[in-house]
Amino acid sequence: MNLDATMRRMYDLINAGDIDGFGALLADDFVDHEELPGLAPTKEGVVTFFRMYLAAFPDLRMVAEDVIVGGDKAVARLRATGTHTGA
């Protein structure tokens, strides 16, 4: 698996509003290491977060400026833009 391409694909799916497609790329035992108030640090929690994020920022655009891969891990530095129109 090309982790760089997969990371970039995940943000492309979010940009397209395809949160189900984004979620399908997450492992079932995914653990989110960021604190999401009121949400579980799980695959379901992060999918819910991005649904809420897109509801608040319908023109959300996330661009992976850099993707760094080491072994079986990848990290991305992002630029996110959007107009807040929701709750």
Side-chain angles (χ1 to χ4, degrees):
M1 173 188 294
N2 181 329
L3 293 178
D4 182 289
T6 300
M7 284 287 276
R8 291 178 191 281
R9 176 75 180 135
M10 293 175 85
Y11 293 109
D12 288 343
L13 290 166
I14 291 169
N15 291 337
D18 185 359
I19 303 306
D20 290 333
F22 161 78
L25 292 175
L26 297 175
D28 290 336
D29 60 351
F30 172 86
V31 175
D32 193 347
H33 296 282
E34 291 186 52
E35 187 157 337
L36 302 173
L39 298 173
T42 61
K43 177 179 180 172
E44 293 78 21
V46 80
V47 166
T48 298
F49 170 78
F50 278 107
R51 287 190 197 289
M52 293 168 50
Y53 204 3
L54 279 174
F57 296 87
D59 62 345
L60 177 66
R61 178 99 175 116
M62 301 180 90
V63 176
E65 299 278 327
D66 296 300
V67 176
I68 301 167
V69 176
D72 65 349
K73 295 180 173 73
V75 64
R77 182 179 65 87
L78 303 175
R79 179 172 31 102
T81 59
T83 307
H84 186 257
T85 63

